[in-house]
Amino acid sequence: MLIAFNGIDGSGKSSQTERLLAELKAAGYPAVYVWSGSRTPLTRLFVRLVRRVLKAPTRKASEAAAPDAGTNGRAQGEAYLSSTERILKRRWVRTIWLHASLVEHMVKIWFTILPHLLRKRVVVSDRYLYDTVVSMAAMANVPPTELPALLRLPFFYRVPKPDLWFFLDVPPEVSFSRKPDIPDMLSVERRIPLYQVAARELGMQVIDATASPDEVAATIMDRVRAALPKKVESHPTP
């Protein structure tokens, strides 16, 4: 069984996945936690190459150009996103960037999630494949109305579909109050409507994560408990 969580930074994904994992283990289920995110090596190399060819500023350069942006780094974030958006207006760059990221993310899922599923374990995943699409759309400033087309991935992107898929929904001010070290609030603000569209298109269950962590955890556990198989084969977890 695969249970995936999506949402912006500060929505509570990490804490809720950890709480769910503890509840599942306490109930006797062979459960494992997997973090399925981050930009992978091939994509990082491509990004550096494109920025060098197009003479686009890096995030560090953007921060140096706006040193007095305040604690949330909004000016730096705007400068960086502005340069990224200009790069991604080139269709060939956007296409290569997106598909390189998707391939790496897909392979990561094959090696970190699929083996556990084959052993009949319950996998709790922090983030999942479509985070890559939302991230690219946010950087390119793609309108939410255009996201559904990007979410219709080619057939060869074969990954297990989550049995339960949660979107933890919070407004940007809640995100920042929980994680004041977020370096880029504009990116967070862009991602929220994109995630809301993705949740609707992909059938995620939307959780109001502005509630207390205990209330959110109870809601999630109630829904997971209703979907758990009656019996899960016991295989030792690493």
Side-chain angles (χ1 to χ4, degrees):
M1 181 177 190
L2 173 58
I3 305 168
F5 286 79
N6 287 92
I8 61 172
D9 289 345
S11 60
K13 296 187 302 298
S14 296
S15 61
Q16 291 300 331
T17 52
E18 290 170 3
R19 292 179 69 147
L20 176 59
L21 185 70
E23 290 269 6
L24 290 170
K25 287 185 174 181
Y29 288 93
V32 294
Y33 166 87
V34 173
W35 189 78
S36 178
S38 83
R39 191 185 290 164
T40 39
L42 180 60
T43 311
R44 285 197 297 269
L45 178 62
F46 175 71
V47 170
R48 286 198 297 268
L49 177 62
V50 169
R51 287 192 176 279
R52 182 172 298 179
V53 169
L54 299 177
K55 296 181 172 59
T58 62
R59 185 179 290 276
K60 287 184 178 179
S62 300
E63 291 172 357
D68 300 318
T71 55
N72 67 355
R74 188 176 184 88
Q76 293 100 325
E78 289 178 351
Y80 177 75
L81 280 178
S82 178
S83 71
T84 302
E85 185 178 338
R86 288 197 299 272
I87 291 172
L88 291 175
K89 281 185 177 179
R90 296 166 174 83
R91 189 176 185 86
W92 68 270
V93 175
R94 187 167 66 245
T95 300
I96 294 174
W97 188 325
L98 176 60
H99 288 285
S101 299
L102 284 168
V103 167
E104 289 186 291
H105 204 160
M106 177 179 66
V107 172
K108 184 175 183 178
I109 288 171
W110 286 350
F111 283 96
T112 62
I113 291 179
L114 191 56
H116 293 301
L117 295 178
L118 293 175
R119 291 173 173 81
K120 307 298 183 182
R121 294 168 181 160
V122 179
V123 179
V124 181
S125 178
D126 183 346
R127 297 174 171 81
Y128 205 57
L129 181 70
Y130 290 89
D131 272 301
T132 294
V133 181
V134 170
S135 294
M136 192 283 295
M139 289 187 289
N141 201 17
V142 171
T145 53
E146 296 181 15
L147 188 67
L150 292 174
L151 293 171
R152 292 192 285 271
L153 300 180
F155 178 76
F156 56 78
Y157 286 112
R158 300 297 301 273
V159 295
K161 183 179 179 180
D163 299 282
L164 284 175
W165 207 343
F166 295 111
F167 166 53
L168 303 186
D169 194 12
V170 295
E173 59 270 17
V174 172
S175 166
F176 183 62
S177 70
R178 293 175 178 176
K179 290 180 69 70
D181 59 338
I182 291 175
D184 186 353
M185 280 302 295
L186 181 58
S187 177
V188 169
E189 291 167 359
R190 285 185 182 181
R191 287 168 192 257
I192 292 173
L194 292 170
Y195 269 125
Q196 289 169 341
V197 170
R200 183 181 68 243
E201 293 292 317
L202 299 171
M204 300 181 195
Q205 297 190 36
V206 180
I207 303 291
D208 179 6
T210 62
S212 72
D214 288 344
E215 292 175 313
V216 174
T219 299
I220 291 170
M221 192 60 207
D222 284 345
R223 298 185 186 186
V224 170
R225 192 178 291 113
L228 282 170
K230 298 299 182 183
K231 182 180 180 181
V232 176
E233 295 179 25
S234 181
H235 292 269
T237 58

